[in-house]
Amino acid sequence: MQPQDASRGDRRAHIAVVVTEDWFFASHFLPMARAAVAAGYHVSVVTRVRAHRDAIAATGARVVALEAERSSLNPMAAGYAAGQLAAILKALKADIVHGIALRGILIGGAAATLAGIPSRVYALTGLGLIGARQDRTGRLARRALRLLIRGPLETARTRYLFENPDDARLLGLDPESPRVTVVGGAGIDPEVWVPQPLPPPLPLRIALTARMLWSKGVDTAVEAARLARAEGANLELALYGAPDPSNRRAIPEATLRDWSRDGVAWHSATGDVAAALSQAHVACLPSRGGEGLPRALLEAAASGRAILTTDVPGCRTLVRDGIEGLVVPPDDPRALAAAMVRLAADPALVARMGAAARARIVEGGFTEAAVTERVVRLYAELA
């Protein structure tokens, strides 16, 4: 089914994308907005507007401001935001509500219910701390979310978009169900992210490009690098990223500065991740879980870099142990150190894994074109 257009005497379908932060949409989903606009849809991005309005508007989408703190767990604040959003959806005459990330799904789904809009896309981009916690609190929180999303927030015209099959199963859904679409994260443009020649073999240069959060396992990488060096491995670890001040899991700057010694260097955020990766042999992201499919891994793989990561949802979706990189248990610095030692001793393996990672992106459905095509197809089904 194609979007309605003037040739049929009908107005075009209007998609309201609900995402908490404008920077998150700008860093991950601009290609999706461009593709939807090119396919003939009206697109409005409802978000907390800070510095990225122009980048979003340049796709042809309308930007609508909604103040909703993503770190707030106050039900009253969430309810107030949902009420505001419902009024916005009615004013926009939205046909489809596309909630991105957990809070976008919860607020967007509640607002869609209040506004009487049954056609919804729930795009779960990971569960964050709730997904990473393996204690009783984490299990209860995941169960509560499943009951809420699959209960009062679900309609017969709700479709689900996941970045890995594990998250679909967590919500009690079959990844092969016609209601479920699993895509390669936000996708990556292989014409922009291209492999550069590897640096000289030694020292093995390892780059970790991510927000500096405890959940990303940055501390695990630092400890692993020190253990590997203590065993005689000639390697260096470079950390590229800044703490996220609105995230409770942010690593303090003082801690990051203290880590910058003995072969570990924190470079703060970089505006050129591709350049940082070009100076490395290996990319590392020892996540503790809660990821959808980390963009840092997509960028590293497209850049032809071998990957060190953990056996958690999302990370293991892209990286197959022994092929594109090495996959170790989460929160296990000794296992990660052993993997670092192995790669430091085998430059040929590093090169083979980097080439395999690049092929995985191009051939495995992880490109922007592959992802946006599936999302637009989903819109067409609901339009």
Side-chain angles (χ1 to χ4, degrees):
M1 180 177 179
Q2 297 300 314
Q4 296 173 332
D5 57 31
S7 65
R8 295 179 55 188
D10 300 318
R11 68 180 183 87
R12 292 180 290 167
H14 194 149
I15 301 160
V17 181
V18 181
V19 59
T20 307
E21 302 287 342
D22 65 346
W23 69 260
F24 182 51
F25 189 89
S27 66
H28 289 70
F29 302 107
L30 295 180
M32 181 188 76
R34 280 194 293 268
V37 171
Y41 296 100
H42 288 298
V43 178
S44 293
V45 178
V46 187
T47 186
R48 190 165 76 122
V49 178
R50 290 298 180 265
H52 297 86
R53 176 190 289 274
D54 290 347
I56 299 172
T59 67
R62 177 181 180 182
V63 182
V64 181
L66 174 70
E67 288 297 319
E69 293 287 345
R70 67 189 170 105
S71 60
S72 173
L73 297 178
N74 185 328
M76 291 188 65
Y80 177 71
Q84 284 185 301
L85 179 56
I88 291 171
L89 297 177
K90 289 179 180 178
L92 292 174
K93 295 184 172 63
D95 300 292
I96 301 170
V97 176
H98 182 162
I100 294 179
L102 186 55
R103 192 165 176 81
I105 291 171
L106 297 177
I107 295 176
T113 299
L114 292 172
I117 303 170
S119 295
R120 305 168 192 180
V121 176
Y122 291 160
L124 194 62
T125 58
L127 287 170
L129 183 60
I130 292 174
R133 292 186 65 161
Q134 299 304 313
D135 57 7
R136 184 171 181 270
T137 300
R139 290 192 298 271
L140 289 174
R142 289 191 290 274
R143 176 174 171 77
L145 286 172
R146 173 177 171 174
L147 292 173
L148 180 59
I149 295 172
R150 298 295 316 284
L153 297 185
E154 185 178 79
T155 70
R157 293 183 59 76
T158 299
R159 299 295 180 266
Y160 294 89
L161 195 61
F162 296 100
E163 297 184 350
N164 64 73
D166 296 273
D167 286 348
R169 297 186 188 99
L170 188 143
L171 288 188
L173 290 160
D174 180 353
E176 302 299 324
S177 165
R179 302 182 66 197
V180 172
T181 300
V182 180
V183 295
I188 195 84
D189 187 347
E191 301 299 321
V192 173
W193 295 85
V194 296
Q196 299 296 327
L198 289 169
L202 291 175
L204 182 76
R205 301 185 184 278
I206 304 170
L208 193 161
T209 58
R211 287 175 295 154
M212 294 291 105
L213 306 178
W214 295 108
S215 58
K216 299 290 184 182
V218 181
D219 55 321
T220 303
V222 170
E223 186 177 352
R226 290 184 176 150
L227 288 170
R229 285 169 61 87
E231 292 183 26
N234 187 359
L235 60 83
E236 297 174 352
L237 173 65
L239 309 176
Y240 295 92
D244 182 348
S246 65
N247 195 308
R248 298 186 302 278
R249 296 163 285 163
I251 300 171
E253 280 197 27
T255 300
L256 293 165
R257 296 185 190 283
D258 182 61
W259 284 343
S260 294
R261 53 186 171 81
D262 303 327
V264 177
W266 174 54
H267 299 278
S268 190
T270 176
D272 194 346
V273 174
L277 289 170
S278 73
Q279 298 168 25
H281 302 89
V282 176
C284 180
L285 187 69
S287 174
R288 291 187 164 93
E291 307 277 2
L293 199 167
R295 184 167 181 82
L297 295 188
L298 293 173
E299 292 170 348
S303 300
R305 289 325 188 232
I307 297 171
L308 289 171
T309 193
T310 43
D311 188 13
V312 298
C315 297
R316 63 179 173 229
T317 300
L318 175 66
V319 183
R320 297 167 295 183
D321 186 42
I323 303 176
E324 293 84 19
L326 298 177
V327 180
V328 301
D331 227 355
D332 190 339
R334 291 198 175 277
L336 184 58
M340 290 179 176
V341 170
R342 179 182 173 187
L343 293 183
D346 196 341
L349 178 62
V350 171
R352 286 199 304 273
M353 287 180 167
R358 170 70 181 187
R360 177 79 163 151
I361 292 293
V362 175
E363 301 166 8
F366 296 96
T367 64
E368 282 180 3
V371 172
T372 56
E373 189 274 334
R374 298 200 71 185
V375 174
V376 171
R377 192 191 310 165
L378 190 59
Y379 292 156
E381 178 185 340
L382 293 172

